[in-house]
Amino acid sequence: MTRLFNDPAAFADEALAGFVAAHRRWVRPVTGGVVRAGGTPAGQVAVVIGGGSGHYPAFSGLVGAGLAHGAAVGNVFASPSAQQIRTVAKAADGGAGVLLMFGNYAGDVLHFGQAADRLTAEGVRAETFAVTDDISSAPAAEHTKRRGIAGDLPVFKAASAAAEAGLPLDEVIAVAAHANARTRSFGIAFSGCTLPGAGQPLFTVPEGRMAVGLGIHGEPGIGEEALPSADRAAELLVASLLNELPDGVDAPRGRRAAVILNGLGSVKYEELFVVYHRVAQLLEEAGVTAVEPEVGELVTSFDMAGVSLTLTWLDERLETLWTAPADTPAYRKGAVAAPTEPAAAAEPAEGAETEDVIPDATPASRQAAETAAAALRVIAATVEEHADALGRIDAVAGDGDHGIGMLRGATAADTAARTAHERGAGAGTVLHRAADAWADRAGGTSGALWGTILHAVGDALGDTERPTAATVSAGVTRACDEVRRIGGAQVGDKTMVDVLVPFADTLAVETAAGARTAAAWDRAATAATTAAAATADLLPQMGRARPHAEKSLGTPDAGAHSLALIVRAVHGVLTDTTGEN
Ligand SMILES: Nc1ncnc2c1ncn2[C@@H]1O[C@H](COP(=O)(O)OP(=O)(O)O)[C@@H](O)[C@H]1O
Ligand SMILES: O=C(COP(=O)(O)O)[C@@H](O)CO
């Protein structure tokens, strides 16, 4: 249970403010997160890590000499937005490029990828790297689909130490890839976490049982077993990792490994030590030398009761990087060198980058903008009405935050759309402003995808022409193509794509047959509703729910369901404002 909070929606922001107040020796706040208080030494590659809140000390607690140069901090269990990541990276850039590092989650992949694109376009060389250490989240043959859990730390540390040693960006990336390929984690859980303000945990484990193969967002385990003794738990963890050695490590005997026994939030340190006692014995029996082991809370999940074991199979180079000094709020070892001259702080003052000019629009487009703004109003109201239910659907096999994220995004989009409309914007600009606000405020997978959808429709509508059924349909088709392109999901993967495709296709068919906008939209929305319900029979192949595929059978996909609710509600606006049907 998370007991101490004010407004649950403000929890992540308030926690970050308190963290900064307590750790000014190491960090300074910037828009979207924190950077090292002393800045990045000039000419050094900056490693910017990030992810959702709720995992402390990941990610802000790992910023400091020898470790990250900055951290982008998202809302609870949601990736930071591309805009947040961009501003943190610009503030951290020391002139030698930026490596953006994160755990492999759909939202993080989308937002960090978009941030890298924007940074590159602005002249800052930026690359991304996703950590994939959790062996329970996909088979070895599909290791690129694996999640990042406590293995984040040794991979971040290897890359950061390489940057600190003055290596150029390409070599820092190669170090990250090598460390990641040699890092494996496996975990067990005894109870789920309760998000601030939530009445119940994201999952429960029956008395006397444990979940095997935990996630760090309250995702239920992939299996369940009888609760073991501490020694049995240690045996399961060690055996699971020794069972899957990385390429280049033929046998454990004679090897050296960085070892992390990680508590997820409410397992006491003494319990961890009891488990580690047996872990250390087992590794020794297997002939593995544990190098500077860490036993404690390094990547958490609020109050989740669980523990994971991480091994990074070291070679000489990785051992040097693992044992290199570090000095951060939550992780310290050795003595770090005195800071060298930092690069000049590069964060632009908020709002100072470009003057906020609303592009010219024709009267016809400004009139259409009224409909667009009204649609955003209805979307926000619809999401608000269904937010709790969306969270419950998402909690079945995901992280339970779909309602929260959608509400943050839709509310921000509504405000941005209304403001732009009041300032005389055309339909395209209203939708672009709404898109940016949604993605920036919500973060997470759905934030990135809804930002993409609204942007694509805005592109099609523009600020000049009076939108027709054909331009609206073209915009929706474009949105559908873009979502498939950036997310990589296909129909049948149990995502919002299962609804977006029939919605776009029906709209196109009806429009080509001569239907007016509202009538075509009505039939497309009906197809969307049917398709959303049908996702209940699918097994998820993408996103957070994938490792828990069986659990999600019988429940529709959260993002598919919210999309269907939204397009149905928007039909009311089209009917009301155009009088068509
Ligand atoms: N690769 C993808 N392509 C399209 N949609 C996706 C993809 N991955 C996840 N989704 C959609 O995102 C929804 C979850 O959104 P959100 O709650 O923001 O997720 P998360 O908490 O995992 O970031 C899923 O229900 C699914 O519809
Ligand atoms: O949950 C996180 C990010 O993934 P999403 O896909 O945006 O939910 C975050 O807590 C870990 O980075």
Side-chain angles (χ1 to χ4, degrees):
M1 189 77 188
T2 304
R3 297 179 183 80
L4 296 173
F5 55 87
N6 300 307
D7 172 6
F11 185 87
D13 294 340
E14 292 182 1
L16 181 62
F19 162 77
V20 169
H23 296 101
R24 292 195 191 281
R25 179 157 88 76
W26 292 273
V27 297
R28 74 178 170 90
V30 292
T31 308
V34 292
V35 294
R36 288 188 192 176
T40 298
Q44 191 171 107
V45 169
V47 174
V48 170
I49 60 175
S53 294
H55 306 299
Y56 192 84
F59 296 88
S60 52
L62 303 177
V63 174
L67 241 157
H69 299 79
V73 181
N75 194 26
V76 170
F77 289 177
S79 79
S81 67
Q83 176 65 1
Q84 286 182 280
I85 299 159
R86 173 182 159 271
T87 50
V88 173
K90 284 195 121 175
D93 180 30
V98 183
L99 180 58
L100 305 173
M101 300 188 74
F102 45 92
N104 188 31
Y105 298 94
D108 291 300
V109 172
L110 291 171
H111 286 283
F112 279 89
Q114 289 178 355
D117 290 346
R118 282 185 211 171
L119 288 162
T120 303
E122 290 167 358
V124 177
R125 186 162 173 225
E127 301 287 344
T128 60
F129 191 89
V131 179
T132 56
D133 58 305
D134 176 13
I135 65 170
S136 72
S137 55
E142 296 179 60
H143 60 91
T144 55
K145 289 186 177 173
R146 287 178 169 174
R147 308 178 286 215
I149 53 173
D152 280 351
L153 173 66
V155 182
F156 293 165
K157 183 164 190 311
S160 304
E164 199 87 47
L167 296 192
L169 184 54
D170 290 340
E171 288 181 42
V172 173
I173 296 168
V175 165
H178 183 51
N180 186 53
R182 284 180 165 240
T183 298
R184 303 273 189 283
S185 301
F186 186 74
I188 52 180
F190 319 109
S191 73
C193 60
T194 306
L195 299 181
Q200 54 198 25
L202 281 174
F203 73 96
T204 53
V205 181
E207 196 63 32
R209 309 281 293 169
M210 73 168 174
V212 177
L214 56 74
I216 57 164
H217 301 89
E219 302 96 330
I222 53 169
E224 209 181 276
E225 289 182 12
L227 190 64
S229 64
D231 282 357
R232 287 286 311 139
E235 284 156 18
L236 174 67
L237 296 173
V238 172
S240 301
L241 295 184
L242 294 189
N243 199 29
E244 207 217 273
L245 299 175
D247 286 348
V249 180
D250 300 337
R253 190 154 300 281
R255 294 288 178 169
R256 298 168 70 78
V259 182
I260 298 172
L261 187 69
N262 179 55
L264 267 292
S266 65
V267 175
K268 301 307 300 170
Y269 271 66
E270 284 85 348
E271 289 175 278
L272 291 175
F273 289 133
V274 172
V275 175
Y276 190 72
H277 177 230
R278 184 69 184 132
V279 167
Q281 285 175 346
L282 291 165
L283 290 175
E284 198 178 325
E285 282 166 26
V288 180
T289 303
V291 179
E292 298 193 2
E294 295 288 343
V295 179
E297 294 183 349
L298 292 154
V299 179
T300 61
S301 181
F302 277 107
D303 56 330
M304 181 165 163
V307 48
S308 66
L309 182 67
T310 298
L311 296 182
T312 299
W313 297 92
L314 300 172
D315 54 18
E316 206 175 315
R317 188 180 203 196
L318 286 178
E319 182 159 341
T320 304
L321 298 168
W322 171 242
T323 56
D327 183 26
T328 79
Y331 187 83
R332 291 165 216 165
K333 60 163 61 174
V336 298
T340 52
E341 195 58 31
E347 188 191 20
E350 234 177 319
E353 282 179 89
T354 48
E355 201 189 335
D356 183 24
V357 177
I358 296 284
D360 288 342
T362 63
S365 186
R366 284 212 293 270
Q367 197 184 344
E370 189 166 334
T371 305
L376 265 311
R377 178 81 285 276
V378 160
I379 290 171
T382 304
V383 170
E384 185 168 11
E385 185 188 341
H386 295 276
D388 287 346
L390 292 172
R392 282 195 298 276
I393 292 174
D394 191 31
V396 171
D399 58 355
D401 69 349
H402 189 64
I404 301 170
M406 289 289 288
L407 189 55
R408 279 171 73 105
T411 306
D414 172 32
T415 305
R418 191 172 55 247
T419 305
H421 171 51
E422 284 167 4
R423 293 181 60 201
T429 296
V430 161
L431 288 171
H432 286 162
R433 297 292 170 108
D436 291 344
W438 192 315
D440 189 27
R441 190 74 186 125
T445 311
S446 54
L449 298 179
W450 272 95
T452 299
I453 291 170
L454 295 177
H455 227 280
V457 178
D459 285 347
L461 263 47
D463 288 337
T464 312
E465 307 295 327
R466 178 187 302 282
T468 62
T471 44
V472 171
S473 171
V476 171
T477 297
R478 192 167 173 162
C480 184
D481 292 345
E482 275 298 288
V483 166
R484 279 192 289 188
R485 185 183 66 78
I486 67 166
Q490 311 291 333
V491 170
D493 285 349
K494 194 163 186 166
T495 70
M496 65 152 67
V497 167
D498 290 314
V499 169
L500 200 46
V501 168
F503 178 70
D505 288 352
T506 308
L507 200 55
V509 167
E510 293 293 329
T511 305
R516 300 176 74 185
T517 309
W521 191 283
D522 186 20
R523 281 171 215 135
T526 300
T529 305
T530 306
T535 62
D537 300 330
L538 297 173
L539 288 172
Q541 308 294 329
M542 305 288 290
R544 188 59 56 73
R546 187 188 49 74
H548 312 286
E550 301 295 338
K551 283 199 167 63
S552 92
L553 264 188
T555 305
D557 173 67
H561 184 57
S562 58
L563 173 57
L565 290 172
I566 285 171
V567 294
R568 172 44 68 202
V570 167
H571 174 248
V573 175
L574 299 177
T575 309
D576 290 342
T577 55
T578 64
E580 297 178 25
N581 212 334

